[in-house]
Every structure is written in structure tokens, then in C-alpha cells.
Amino acid sequence: MENLPKRLAQQLKFVMEIDKLKNIYRQNLIADASRQENDAEHSWHLAVLAVLLAEYVPEPVDLLKVMKMVLLHDVVEIDAGDVFCYDPEAAVGKEEREIKAAERIYGLLPADQGRELRELWDEFEARATPEAKFAACLDRLQPLLLNFHTEGGTWRIHGVPAAKVRQRMEPIAQISPVLGEAVEQLLQEAIARGILQE
């Protein structure tokens, strides 16, 4: 790649760096429960959810911006690792690790693209704009769907009670009442089927 134009070489280096997401495994199981999901699969799934579910967000969102956010929000986990959302001990120091990772990984890109993607990551983390709120909503919804369809998946493995799951899902209803209602129905069914304990 040394004979390529500098900008293109930087972009391709970033592309190959984020290939490492395929080896960052999350706690969630994929829908057939055969193995853990990796970060690349998770990000792709969120992008598809964004395309399909944008109509349920009352406040208009820039869908391309949301898709960029969800596709790139977890690249920091290449360096920082994945933290299970129901493990407060593992989250100690997470913010510092992720900021350091964002500086390194987004810094691989040409300055303008690196700045743009880093700003999108910062926006996602701040959860203040309609796009970031929707992206964060999807980031919570997708694992819920996997846990529901794997008969409790990581809820059962880690003994996560319904109260903690409900607390984690609360922002969804604030962002989209329709999706919030769907989440509540899924939780009620999961409790009724015994795959999530009260």
C-alpha cells in the first residue's frame, strides 16, 4: 500500500483495522444461540434496524447520520474491549479506555474523515441529538431481541432480573412510544414464559 495516495492508504488502513471488530465478542448470543455475537455483526444489525424502524421515531432524524453512528460506534472496543451492560464492575474506567481508543483508531483516517467520525462517536456517546438518541435506542433494542429469541440468552446465563432489563430499556419509550410499547410486550411475554425472572 506504500505506493497508494496517502489519503487512500489511510482509509484502507482504517478499514483493515476495524476488521478486528469481527473478533470482539459480545455477551449476546446470535438468534440460533449457537455462539456469541461479534461487534461487526451487532453494528450491521443496528444499521438494518435504523433503516426499518426510523418511521417509529416521532422526531425526524437524518438516517444516514444514524447509520454512520451505529456502524462505527463500537470501533473503540478494538482497544477498549466490550463491557457487558449489566456488569458495573467491568464498566470501571470504560470511558477513559474508550476515549483513548477513539483517539487512536479515528486518528488512522485522513484528518477530515477522522474528525467527522470522531464527532459522530462523541455525539452518540452524549445521547443529546435526535440521531444519537435513536441510535442509542437501537443499541438497547437489538440485544433485547436476541435475548428474547434465545430463550433468555445472557439474561439467564448471568441471572439478570427483569427490573434491570426494564431499567436498561427505559430510554426506548422516551425516544419512541411505539417501540417502547413493543419492548414492554416482549418483556411481559419473556416473564410469562419464564425466560426472564421478576
Side-chain angles (χ1 to χ4, degrees):
M1 291 201 313
E2 53 195 50
N3 294 325
L4 293 175
K6 181 181 177 186
R7 181 178 179 85
L8 178 56
Q10 288 175 306
Q11 291 164 327
L12 295 179
K13 184 176 181 180
F14 176 83
V15 166
M16 294 314 300
E17 182 67 14
I18 66 170
D19 187 71
K20 294 175 182 176
L21 285 174
K22 296 172 186 175
N23 291 313
I24 306 296
Y25 287 91
R26 300 166 50 79
Q27 290 296 319
N28 291 322
L29 303 174
I30 62 171
D32 70 0
S34 63
R35 63 173 174 82
Q36 289 174 278
E37 169 191 51
N38 69 47
D39 267 353
E41 294 164 329
H42 169 69
S43 298
W44 161 81
H45 223 177
L46 295 187
V48 174
L49 281 169
V51 171
L52 299 177
L53 304 182
E55 66 187 82
Y56 300 108
V57 182
E59 193 170 359
V61 293
D62 177 341
L63 186 55
L64 178 58
K65 189 175 186 182
V66 172
M67 291 180 68
K68 286 179 181 182
M69 276 185 193
V70 298
L71 285 170
L72 296 164
H73 76 292
D74 275 344
V75 299
V76 296
E77 294 184 2
I78 291 168
D79 291 353
D82 179 59
V83 174
F84 186 44
C85 64
Y86 298 109
D87 183 356
E89 289 178 23
V92 173
K94 174 181 182 268
E95 184 177 353
E96 295 80 13
R97 290 191 308 272
E98 289 188 347
I99 288 170
K100 186 176 177 183
E103 289 169 2
R104 184 190 76 78
I105 298 166
Y106 292 124
L108 297 172
L109 284 163
D112 62 319
Q113 284 186 324
R115 187 170 41 257
E116 176 198 358
L117 299 186
R118 171 61 193 269
E119 287 172 0
L120 284 171
W121 180 77
D122 288 333
E123 184 177 334
F124 175 83
E125 290 297 310
R127 314 280 200 271
T129 63
E131 289 78 13
K133 289 176 183 176
F134 181 44
C137 167
L138 300 174
D139 196 33
R140 290 168 190 251
L141 177 62
Q142 187 260 0
L144 174 108
L145 294 172
L146 289 178
N147 279 306
F148 182 83
H149 288 282
T150 56
E151 298 299 310
T154 54
W155 298 335
R156 284 184 154 194
I157 293 167
H158 297 284
V160 180
K164 282 192 175 184
V165 176
R166 270 208 176 84
Q167 182 180 23
R168 175 108 179 121
M169 297 302 124
E170 277 177 6
I172 295 175
Q174 297 164 8
I175 295 155
S176 169
V178 173
L179 295 179
E181 180 56 35
V183 164
E184 184 54 34
Q185 288 180 22
L186 288 170
L187 291 176
Q188 289 295 334
E189 185 176 339
I191 291 165
R193 287 169 47 194
I195 63 174
L196 181 60
Q197 301 302 312
E198 283 281 24

